[in-house]
Amino acid sequence: METPWNLFVPAALIACAGSALSLPLWRRAVRRLGMVDDPGQRKIHAEPMPLAGGLAVLTGWLLALGAGAAALFTVWSDPTTWAALWHGVSRRAGQLAVLVGGALAMTLLGALDDRHELRPGVKFLGQWLVASAVALAGIRITLFVPSPWFSYLVTVLWILTLVNAFNFTDNMNGLCAGLGLIASWYFAVLAARQGQYLVACCAFAVCGALAGFLPWNFPRARAFLGDSGSHLVGYWVAVLAILPHFYSELHPRWHAVLSPLWVLAVPLSDLVQVVISRWRRGQPFYVGDTHHFSHLLVRAGLSPTRAVLVLWAAAAGTGAVALLW
């Protein structure tokens, strides 16, 4: 069966358009709600910036998802492709519902943090509840260990790690959204290459939604992702790393399960080095600072824009290894 680009391309384009066109509406809405990022000690912007990106990105993705669902009720492509996609949807309908609910919940949690600055413990509890719902729905990492408890714990830890890793990378214009776009694109290609077209379609929609937001955020920002956006991007990327079957009877390569680590090497490495740095200074790991890779590159002489481009290039390079892995 040929790769159904007639599904993937519209999914990305609809998500892109929905994200880009809804952002001006969300900018006005969040200003009225007081969801703005004020200038401060570690900030590079000089005026309050609306935290509208996450809501716009979610809007674009949901529009693409709705369009895809509507398309499944019509034979819009060849019967073989349509049957394969419908088979995937029917088998994973419950899991899809949980994944959509998780995206909504994670965005809401981040939006509440944007508005009220939740305590770290409260925010972590919300993240854990969403991650637990995903794991309990059967979307799990196994790592060849036949233990439900092991897979549950590893899955929850993975989602929590990625959500916070992308939250940490949201420190310069375009960095978090760009890394999320690159990662989701690689997961889309990996899923499509294995014939997992439903997963690929969702991933390409994530790519499109982030692509629609990026011109509003990079290189000059007119809106920020906010915690609603960084939580959503981290959640999506974590889930997209779980959904594809990197190891199967058709592809019996155990090392292929390490592919997500290559795709996500940059945000994960940044998380590790920042946590170690804060631990050595006796600083709580959840208290922000300027010791991320992006800040180190700027202190080395790069402009913020070039620092972001370097990290994008690094993520693209490590992700390419996953395609050859």
Side-chain angles (χ1 to χ4, degrees), residues 43-180:
K43 310 297 177 61
I44 61 173
H45 54 286
E47 60 183 23
M49 192 68 63
L51 302 172
L55 298 169
V57 169
L58 178 66
T59 300
W61 185 74
L62 289 176
L63 284 174
L65 196 68
L72 281 175
F73 289 96
T74 61
V75 183
W76 49 269
S77 62
D78 67 276
T80 303
T81 301
W82 184 89
L85 288 167
W86 181 252
H87 176 70
V89 170
S90 61
R91 285 183 63 246
R92 292 196 169 191
Q95 292 181 345
L96 280 172
V98 171
L99 292 178
V100 173
L104 294 170
M106 201 66 84
T107 305
L108 176 61
L109 176 66
L112 290 173
D113 190 43
D114 288 333
R115 180 66 180 85
H116 301 291
E117 295 188 15
L118 302 176
R119 295 193 302 273
V122 174
K123 189 160 60 171
F124 184 81
L125 175 61
Q127 295 171 357
W128 175 79
L129 289 173
V130 175
S132 293
V134 172
L136 292 173
I139 303 167
R140 298 183 183 181
I141 301 168
T142 61
L143 297 179
F144 310 109
V145 178
S147 168
W149 280 108
F150 174 84
S151 61
Y152 167 81
L153 291 173
V154 171
T155 301
V156 170
L157 178 62
W158 174 255
I159 295 174
L160 292 175
T161 299
L162 264 297
V163 167
N164 287 285
F166 275 86
N167 185 242
F168 279 17
T169 64
D170 191 24
N171 55 64
M172 285 190 182
N173 294 345
L175 182 55
C176 179
L179 292 176

Side-chain angles (χ1 to χ4, degrees), residues 7-19 56-72 198 201-209 236:
L7 172 68
F8 298 155
V9 173
L13 291 178
I14 291 171
C16 181
S19 176
V57 169
L58 178 66
T59 300
W61 185 74
L62 289 176
L63 284 174
L65 196 68
L72 281 175
L198 179 59
C201 184
C202 291
F204 277 117
V206 173
C207 292
W236 268 336

Side-chain angles (χ1 to χ4, degrees), residues 293-307:
F293 286 156
S294 54
H295 298 122
L296 298 179
L297 289 171
V298 169
R299 284 201 286 273
L302 296 182
S303 68
T305 297
R306 289 185 177 180

Side-chain angles (χ1 to χ4, degrees), residues 174-253:
L175 182 55
C176 179
L179 292 176
L181 190 157
I182 292 167
S184 57
W185 185 85
Y186 276 117
F187 287 132
V189 172
L190 288 168
R193 196 166 67 174
Q194 298 171 31
Q196 300 176 50
Y197 296 147
L198 179 59
V199 176
C201 184
C202 291
F204 277 117
V206 173
C207 292
L210 290 171
F213 165 71
L214 263 178
W216 291 89
N217 185 242
F218 181 82
R220 186 178 68 85
R222 288 170 286 171
F224 287 165
L225 270 178
D227 271 14
S228 62
S230 62
H231 276 60
L232 179 61
V233 173
Y235 168 80
W236 268 336
V237 170
V239 169
L240 290 173
I242 299 171
L243 288 175
H245 299 298
F246 296 104
Y247 177 91
S248 65
E249 292 182 359
L250 294 176
H251 303 90
R253 299 171 299 155

